Amino acid sequence: MTVEIAPSVLAADPLQLGDAVRAVQAGGARRVQIDVMDGRFVPNITMGPETVAAVRGVTDMLIEVHLMIVEPEKFVPVFADAGADLIIVHQEVSPHIYRTLEQIHDLGKSAGVAINPGTPAGTLSEVLHLADLILVMTVSPGFGGQTFIESTLPKLRELRQELDRRGLAALLEVDGGINLQTASVAAAAGARVLVAGTSVYGAPEGVTRAIHGLKNAAEQGIAASVRE
Ligand code: DX5
């Protein structure tokens, strides 16, 4: 599988959100991530189901909804109804993560589970087979424009090896501080979906060249890791 870039609309101009979504689709993106924050799990408040529904109305790209909220199971149905294709919940606030992933599947959606920089990969061992996507946060969630945390790389490699060992098809995703340099090392470590906000929507060269640049950097990272 090649690498996919998932632009995060958190970094887009909220007054031009529709155009921002259309621009990354035209620029080659096949998925987009919407960051939902509740001010409790993370120290920020962002967007809700109405924004997801609005984005659903302007694109046929895969919509990932990243729930950075407490008690995510309570809002899974709402975001499924709003048009999410993939719903990502955090392990740290999901004591019944097995049931929550099943809940997402029962609603006909793909299910993702995310872990923060301080959360070990081993916390996911009992649900790796159930998840369609594993999100390794490479920053502490809450804000865009942060610096990639290098110490998450061994965790990425550990999860890549475990997914491959068990022959599981779950996608491995990273989110936070993804730029040309970190895209390369994250992909080399095993990531196949890279969430990027600032480096796409803040790119002086525009979103199309930014997306293609990140994708190329990631694929060169993979190629280099294979040669090693
Ligand atoms: C959590 C958010 C951010 C955002 C991407 O904080 O999930 O990681 O999507 O942020 P940047 O701007 O670093 O790509």
Side-chain angles (χ1 to χ4, degrees):
M1 173 197 178
T2 60
V3 169
E4 275 202 68
I5 305 302
S8 164
V9 300
L10 182 68
D13 177 351
L15 297 179
Q16 309 294 332
L17 188 54
D19 291 342
V21 171
R22 282 186 284 261
V24 294
Q25 181 162 14
R30 298 191 305 169
R31 63 202 301 149
V32 66
Q33 188 174 98
I34 297 175
D35 290 306
V36 177
M37 302 182 193
D38 64 357
R40 287 187 59 204
F41 180 59
V42 294
N44 194 3
I45 298 175
T46 58
M47 46 200 95
E50 296 81 5
T51 302
V52 173
V55 171
R56 181 77 285 163
V58 298
T59 185
D60 59 1
M61 284 191 289
L62 185 149
I63 296 176
E64 300 185 0
V65 174
H66 179 188
L67 294 180
M68 288 167 274
I69 66 175
V70 300
E71 299 179 309
E73 68 280 1
K74 291 186 176 175
F75 291 91
V76 160
V78 167
F79 284 99
D81 286 346
D85 296 296
L86 165 66
I87 299 174
I88 304 168
V89 299
H90 269 262
Q91 183 275 343
E92 297 89 355
V93 283
S94 301
H96 300 292
I97 183 64
Y98 201 103
R99 179 189 296 154
T100 304
L101 294 175
E102 288 181 321
Q103 174 196 19
I104 296 169
H105 284 151
D106 290 346
L107 291 165
K109 305 300 180 179
S110 296
V113 55
I115 49 175
N116 288 333
T119 304
T123 59
L124 299 180
S125 62
E126 301 307 314
V127 293
L128 283 180
H129 67 287
L130 206 52
D132 301 294
L133 179 139
I134 307 293
L135 170 52
V136 173
M137 291 303 296
T138 46
V139 296
S140 292
F143 301 92
Q146 299 182 80
T147 301
F148 183 92
I149 299 173
E150 297 279 343
S151 63
T152 59
L153 288 170
K155 180 176 9 178
L156 264 176
R157 283 190 280 269
E158 179 185 348
L159 283 163
R160 175 78 278 151
Q161 287 162 11
E162 183 62 6
L163 289 169
D164 293 346
R165 185 184 71 81
R166 291 168 57 175
L168 298 175
L171 291 174
L172 193 52
E173 181 174 71
V174 288
D175 178 357
I178 296 300
N179 55 37
L180 291 176
Q181 189 272 326
T182 58
S184 178
V185 296
R192 292 296 177 266
V193 183
L194 282 62
V195 176
T198 304
S199 59
V200 170
Y201 286 111
E205 68 273 23
V207 298
T208 299
R209 291 180 65 180
I211 291 167
H212 289 275
L214 288 167
K215 188 175 169 66
N216 290 340
E219 289 173 348
Q220 285 167 18
I222 295 170
S225 68
V226 167
R227 287 195 296 270
E228 280 172 7

